[in-house]
């Protein structure tokens, strides 16, 4: 069985959806049922070597033009797998992974051009694509609500956490940012307003008498997301960090806070749990699916509630230890190997 994989994600900065794609590809490389070739734009400069998967450069264009014109022209009627929200709009024999319905449910976080283009793509995916995958029951329900996708076409797969197991932490980030172990609260993600980091800013007014700091790791793409005002002397911005630095920040944080008001899945809380970091997550969206009983939940629209929950965790070692143990057990339920197996099952339903 021969399938092609849309490899545009290999020339993009790694965020949650690109991480999702890369980790699945690594697992697909260990199976022999399906022969996979990743098609990439000419700008591709190289990535991990594979045992069984081939990488092939095609075309001369880049970005959406490459994806809409040169990619489908090369693939023609053969099966194509798209893992990162986008793909050729007029192709039928393909699988599209749509990670969330944020452009419908929470459009204020995106530029007008971004919203129009993604809604256009999603409309044609609903009509033409053989199958649509998403990453949580919450996201599935949202896509049914906004896109009116037939339940037979829309299926769920999960996410995993093994990528963190292989990373060696880089503790140099701590002295670089003047951080003390277990004396800071960590938040991680892009500065999309849906991530609701503004609530963290408001929370600091209730934490003035506490000795811990708040650290936000991650960047912002102002071409896509509207600006978020996060100016506050009690918050340290780490910006983009390496995977090794990020693992260290997770491992040595007093707790991890995820105040997002809209997610398709929520990979950062899973990463935090996988290294034993106590987590506090919002009580909306897919968070109960991801964190189960291994988290302290808070109202993401109530900064006072968040502040109280932060104090409860940060000032109670027994609570921290229970959350750590529960988080490790919860994280073990998620595996990229399982996700790859799920994907293979869906691939076999295409015209191969």
């Amino acid at each position: 069985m021969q399938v092609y994989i849309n490899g545009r994600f290999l020339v993009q900065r790694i965020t949650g959806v690109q991480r999702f794609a890369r980790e699945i590809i690594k697992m697909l490389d260990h199976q022999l049922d399906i022969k996979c070739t990743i098609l990439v734009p000419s700008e591709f400069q190289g990535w991990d070597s594979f045992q069984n998967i081939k990488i092939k450069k095609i075309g001369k264009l880049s970005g959406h033009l490459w994806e809409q014109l040169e990619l489908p022209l090369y693939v023609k009627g053969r099966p194509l797998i798209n893992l990162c929200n986008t793909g050729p709009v007029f192709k039928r024999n393909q699988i599209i992974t749509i990670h969330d319905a944020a452009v419908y449910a929470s459009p204020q976080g995106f530029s007008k051009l971004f919203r129009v283009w993604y809604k256009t793509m999603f409309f044609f995916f609903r009509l033409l694509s053989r199958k649509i995958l998403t990453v949580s029951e919450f996201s599935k329900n949202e896509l049914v609500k906004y896109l009116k996708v037939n339940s037979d076409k829309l299926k769920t797969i999960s996410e995993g956490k093994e990528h963190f197991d292989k990373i060696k932490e880089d503790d140099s980030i701590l002295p670089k940012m003047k951080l003390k172990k277990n004396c800071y609260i960590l938040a991680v993600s892009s500065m999309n307003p849906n991530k609701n980091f503004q609530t963290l800013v408001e929370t600091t007014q209730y934490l003035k008498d506490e000795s811990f700091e708040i650290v936000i790791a991650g960047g912002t793409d102002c071409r896509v997301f509207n600006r978020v005002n996060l100016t506050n002397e009690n918050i340290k911005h780490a910006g983009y960090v390496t995977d090794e630095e990020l693992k260290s920040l997770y491992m040595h944080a007093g707790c991890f806070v995820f105040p997002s008001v809209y997610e398709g899945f929520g990979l950062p809380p899973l990463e935090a749990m996988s290294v034993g970091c106590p987590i506090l997550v919002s009580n909306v969206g897919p968070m109960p699916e991801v964190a189960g009983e291994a988290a302290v939940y808070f109202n993401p629209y109530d900064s006072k509630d968040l502040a109280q929950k932060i104090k409860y965790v940060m000032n109670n070692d027994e609570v921290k230890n229970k959350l750590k143990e529960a988080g490790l057990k919860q994280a073990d339920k998620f595996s990229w190997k399982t996700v790859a197996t799920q994907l293979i099952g869906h691939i076999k339903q295409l015209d191969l």
Side-chain angles (χ1 to χ4, degrees):
M1 299 179 183
Q2 170 70 58
V3 301
Y4 291 108
I5 297 172
N6 179 352
R8 185 179 165 214
F9 65 89
L10 289 178
V11 298
Q12 297 173 326
R13 186 188 291 268
I14 300 178
T15 63
V17 294
Q18 287 80 19
R19 171 71 68 193
F20 171 87
R22 286 172 176 250
E23 297 306 322
I24 288 179
I25 295 303
K26 291 177 183 178
M27 292 300 169
L28 289 178
D29 189 43
H30 297 300
Q31 58 80 39
L32 300 175
D33 289 349
I34 297 174
K35 294 181 180 180
C36 300
T37 299
I38 305 175
L39 302 177
V40 296
S42 59
E43 64 194 279
F44 175 71
Q45 296 298 318
W47 190 51
D48 300 89
S49 59
F50 296 108
Q51 293 180 341
N52 300 301
I53 293 180
K54 297 179 180 179
I55 296 180
K56 182 178 180 61
K57 292 184 181 182
I58 62 167
K60 298 180 180 180
L61 301 175
S62 62
H64 289 296
L65 288 176
W66 176 85
E67 192 169 53
Q68 298 304 319
L69 300 176
E70 293 178 324
L71 177 61
L73 185 63
Y74 182 89
V75 175
K76 296 181 180 178
R78 291 165 291 195
L80 178 67
I81 312 303
N82 306 273
L83 298 170
C84 297
N85 291 319
T86 64
V89 294
F90 295 119
K91 183 169 176 57
R92 292 181 180 274
N93 192 26
Q94 66 175 344
I95 291 175
I96 296 285
T97 306
I98 301 179
H99 290 253
D100 60 56
V103 291
Y104 300 96
S106 190
Q108 69 277 6
F110 306 93
S111 66
K112 183 177 181 180
L113 180 61
F114 185 96
R115 295 195 304 267
V116 170
W117 174 234
Y118 271 65
K119 287 181 179 181
T120 300
M121 284 192 294
F122 290 177
F123 172 78
F124 283 104
F125 294 157
R126 177 179 69 85
L127 291 179
L128 302 177
S129 295
R130 185 63 54 84
K131 191 176 290 291
I132 297 175
L133 302 179
T134 193
V135 292
S136 66
E137 286 298 321
F138 170 78
S139 184
K140 180 180 179 180
N141 292 335
E142 290 286 277
L143 291 172
V144 169
K145 175 182 176 181
Y146 290 105
L147 271 180
K148 312 300 181 187
V149 184
N150 187 304
S151 59
D152 292 334
K153 175 180 283 193
L154 179 61
K155 302 297 180 181
T156 59
I157 58 177
S158 189
E159 300 204 21
K161 51 86 176 67
E162 295 97 320
H163 58 284
F164 245 41
D165 297 340
K166 301 175 183 178
I167 295 172
K168 174 61 179 176
E169 67 273 13
D170 180 1
D171 291 341
S172 67
I173 186 68
L174 301 180
K176 186 188 304 182
M177 294 196 63
K178 300 180 180 179
L179 298 174
K180 295 181 179 180
K181 294 181 180 180
N182 300 313
C183 292
Y184 62 91
I185 301 156
L186 179 65
V188 176
S189 212
S190 67
M191 296 301 188
N192 183 336
N194 292 335
K195 306 305 180 184
N196 195 31
F197 285 157
Q198 191 63 42
T199 294
L200 280 180
V201 176
E202 298 169 0
T203 297
T204 59
Q205 65 182 306
Y206 304 110
L207 301 174
K208 292 180 180 179
D209 296 330
E210 303 295 333
S211 59
F212 41 78
E213 301 174 289
I214 295 177
V215 177
I216 295 179
T220 177
D221 185 347
C222 293
R223 296 171 302 173
V224 176
F225 304 127
N226 297 322
R227 293 183 179 275
V228 184
N229 180 17
L230 291 174
T231 303
N232 189 291
E233 62 182 7
N234 296 315
I235 295 178
K236 288 186 175 181
H237 297 269
Y240 283 106
V241 296
T242 66
D243 288 343
E244 292 77 13
E245 290 171 332
L246 179 57
K247 185 170 185 177
S248 178
L249 288 172
Y250 277 133
M251 292 178 67
H252 300 300
C255 67
F256 172 75
V257 175
F258 198 66
S260 179
V261 295
Y262 198 89
E263 292 288 327
F265 180 82
L267 188 57
L270 179 55
E271 291 175 337
M273 288 189 295
S274 75
V275 296
C277 179
I279 66 170
L280 294 82
V281 298
S282 59
N283 59 6
V284 298
M287 287 304 98
E289 293 180 56
V290 177
E293 298 181 359
V296 171
Y297 292 91
F298 61 89
N299 181 348
Y301 302 102
D302 186 344
S303 57
K304 190 172 184 179
D305 179 47
L306 174 55
Q308 291 174 342
K309 300 294 175 56
I310 288 175
K311 292 178 182 178
Y312 169 70
V313 173
M314 290 295 288
N315 296 321
N316 193 323
D317 289 339
E318 183 178 355
V319 170
K320 285 184 183 179
N321 290 332
K322 287 183 178 179
L323 288 173
K324 177 179 179 178
E325 293 176 7
L328 290 170
K329 291 180 180 179
Q330 180 69 10
D332 282 340
K333 298 177 182 179
F334 297 89
S335 165
W336 290 119
K337 184 177 181 180
T338 299
V339 179
T341 300
Q342 293 171 337
L343 178 59
I344 290 171
H346 294 301
I347 291 174
K348 289 181 178 179
Q349 297 176 26
L350 296 175
D351 295 332
L352 298 172

